[in-house]
Amino acid sequence: MGFKNLHILLGVTGGIAAYKSVELLRLMKKAGANVHVAMSRAAMEFVGKTTFEVLSENPVLTDLWEDTHSSVTHIDIATSVDAVIVAPATANFIGKFAHGIADDALLTTMLAVTTPIMICPSMNTDMYQNIRVQRNLDILEQDGVHILDPDDGVLACKTVGTGRLPEPWFIFDRLDALLTQKDLAGKKILLTAGPTVEAIDPVRYVSNHSSGKMGYAVARAAERRGASVTLVSGPVSFDPPVGVEFIPVESCDQMADAVFSHLGAADIIIKVAAVADYRPIDPSTLKIKKTQDSNDLSISMTENMDILKRVGDLKTEQQFLVGFAAETNDLERHALAKIKKKNLDMIAANLVGTEDSGFKADTNKVKLFFKDGASKDIPLMDKNRVAHILLDTIIEQTG
Ligand code: CTP
């Protein structure tokens, strides 16, 4: 859960995609990891050792014999790392590693590693599909090595097919998932996020400022912790987290349909979405034109279903229901009233209207309230960390 203070060995072997591992290194460093890089001789034909040395702030391991730091550096690294990621991993590296061959610094180091290993094959499609390469990947998989499948796309050899190294953010995301404790394994989590959008006519709508950041952070954290996550989301400006079942919706009605068709299977329901409380009664099928005779326009609105309240009415004893409340005042009073009214197990309430807490911000200051009246303050922090604390609390509460 997070890279802070983790020791990671980044193995780079000789493929054209080696330049992407520079960005991967940068992402891991930014997240607080201490990264050691080991490069094969061929990798140095593609990217200079100095680049990795400067960015990792550690000596780069390239040759067991030329290494001047210590005669046992590779063993020191192997025994101190929390994980190894090899990106890109060539067919040559995969073949040798699968058979325990240790003829360079990276392979030798990796034979002494006992922590999780992820490798990212990247090569020409025919090479990747070659029966020998596939056999070697199977061997590694059976040995417990995690293989991150290559992407499809245009390859350096100008062919189109499988073999591209995934983008650095994706490798980083999957390595993070690998290293995260699976304390939500077996749990099904149904989440809503983002705003809803209620049509006035085909080009206009009523909505709110929800960015979806908080809900997506919870979805991402839950997936990394092993939950099977269904995310029902109104329109937001970023991609859904990797590995979640994603159901895009627009209106409250559509969100309700998606929620109720997945409710029965859910163990935990977390409703982060900022659902519009009202919608135009009779949206026009044609664009509403400006009229000459009046300066005023009234739109008649009708109340939307309170999805959370309906879920609260329907939920079983085994289901744990979490609501969110964005308030501008009287946080505690409103939050406790909503717990009661909507039959919630917990509510995450925050004051909106400040720059560092609320819809658009990357940080949030949340207070959790429980149905017995107890509460827990979460100090101002990044929404990803808030998401993990929220999930920790749900695990505590569901015992
Ligand atoms: N919610 C919902 N369906 C609605 C309105 C809200 O499911 N039609 C859910 C939200 O997803 C959130 C919680 O209810 O989890 C609180 O929403 P909020 O708008 O703060 O509360 P309301 O009950 O609508 O009260 P008010 O707007 O008066 O504060």
Side-chain angles (χ1 to χ4, degrees):
M1 195 190 314
F3 281 79
K4 210 164 180 53
N5 301 325
L6 285 190
H7 288 251
I8 308 283
L9 171 62
L10 170 62
V12 185
T13 66
I16 183 68
Y19 74 93
K20 287 188 182 173
S21 36
V22 176
E23 177 63 10
L24 176 62
L25 164 62
R26 219 185 53 81
L27 289 172
M28 292 191 288
K29 286 290 290 177
K30 202 170 154 210
N34 181 6
V35 186
H36 292 272
V37 180
M39 301 176 77
S40 70
R41 195 163 283 282
M44 288 188 289
E45 299 290 330
F46 291 95
V47 185
K49 171 182 172 178
T50 316
T51 305
F52 287 105
E53 214 142 56
V54 171
L55 291 174
S56 71
E57 300 171 280
N58 278 318
V60 170
L61 190 62
T62 53
D63 190 319
L64 292 176
W65 311 113
E66 281 173 17
D67 177 33
T68 51
H69 301 280
S70 140
S71 60
V72 286
T73 299
H74 66 288
I75 298 294
D76 293 342
I77 292 175
T79 52
S80 69
V81 292
D82 297 291
V84 180
I85 174 85
V86 182
T90 58
N92 183 45
F93 167 83
I94 290 165
K96 287 180 177 172
F97 188 42
H99 291 89
I101 295 169
D103 67 355
D104 70 6
L106 172 62
L107 284 157
T108 308
T109 307
M110 286 186 67
L111 285 190
V113 168
T114 55
T115 45
I117 298 174
M118 181 181 267
I119 71 166
C120 307
S122 169
M123 64 200 76
N124 156 276
T125 308
D126 291 334
M127 285 174 76
Y128 176 65
Q129 286 168 349
N130 184 289
I131 190 166
R132 294 160 191 85
V133 174
Q134 287 299 317
R135 195 164 49 222
N136 290 334
L137 286 170
D138 286 346
I139 291 173
L140 290 174
E141 200 149 34
Q142 280 160 26
D143 289 348
V145 173
H146 300 266
I147 314 288
L148 191 69
D149 292 336
D151 282 347
D152 295 343
V154 182
L155 304 174
C157 52
K158 303 276 189 290
T159 56
V160 177
T162 308
R164 267 173 75 90
L165 185 70
E167 292 308 312
W169 71 265
F170 184 83
I171 301 174
F172 176 79
D173 185 281
R174 293 301 85 195
L175 182 61
D176 191 6
L178 175 69
L179 297 178
T180 304
Q181 201 198 336
K182 301 289 176 273
D183 52 4
L184 284 169
K187 296 283 181 210
K188 288 198 164 63
I189 300 189
L190 174 60
L191 260 155
T192 67
T196 66
V197 161
E198 313 293 336
I200 297 172
D201 70 12
V203 293
R204 304 178 179 96
Y205 57 79
V206 177
S207 189
N208 57 63
H209 288 301
S210 170
S211 65
K213 282 179 185 169
M214 190 64 242
Y216 278 51
V218 179
R220 194 179 305 114
E223 188 274 336
R224 288 182 186 181
R225 292 169 74 154
S228 143
V229 177
T230 301
L231 173 62
V232 181
S233 172
V236 301
S237 60
F238 36 82
D239 290 333
V242 178
V244 308
E245 181 192 9
F246 181 63
I247 306 178
V249 296
E250 300 232 317
S251 64
C252 171
D253 277 356
Q254 291 172 359
M255 184 170 277
D257 285 349
V259 166
F260 293 118
S261 63
H262 289 80
L263 182 61
D267 302 301
I268 298 162
I269 305 108
I270 310 176
K271 289 221 72 249
V272 195
V275 185
D277 288 331
Y278 295 89
R279 68 173 185 280
I281 287 186
D282 194 12
S284 171
T285 51
L286 298 176
K287 186 180 171 197
I288 299 170
K289 302 302 283 180
K290 254 192 303 235
T291 54
Q292 304 299 323
D293 25 311
S294 167
N295 291 330
D296 302 330
L297 173 73
S298 301
I299 298 168
S300 298
M301 309 274 276
T302 185
E303 198 173 352
N304 266 334
M305 175 202 283
D306 188 325
I307 308 171
L308 183 60
K309 178 162 184 336
R310 187 87 186 104
V311 173
D313 293 340
L314 294 174
K315 86 177 184 80
T316 63
E317 275 295 302
Q318 289 71 41
Q319 289 178 315
F320 192 84
L321 179 59
V322 182
F324 266 69
E327 308 290 350
T328 52
N329 58 295
D330 290 335
L331 191 70
E332 177 151 357
R333 186 165 63 81
H334 289 309
L336 292 173
K338 282 178 191 176
I339 288 201
K340 217 168 175 178
K341 181 174 145 205
K342 305 194 189 195
N343 190 28
L344 310 180
D345 296 292
M346 180 172 117
I347 195 160
N350 69 320
L351 282 176
V352 287
T354 61
E355 252 177 41
D356 52 7
S357 180
F359 285 147
K360 295 255 184 311
D362 289 329
T363 51
N364 209 355
K365 184 170 180 342
V366 170
K367 188 162 181 173
L368 303 178
F369 295 91
F370 306 94
K371 63 179 172 197
D372 61 1
S375 64
K376 175 173 171 179
D377 254 317
I378 306 178
L380 180 73
M381 60 177 73
D382 182 87
K383 283 182 175 169
N384 293 312
R385 288 186 61 209
V386 175
H388 278 291
I389 294 178
L390 183 90
L391 294 172
D392 291 342
T393 312
I394 293 173
I395 291 171
E396 272 162 37
Q397 293 284 315
T398 51

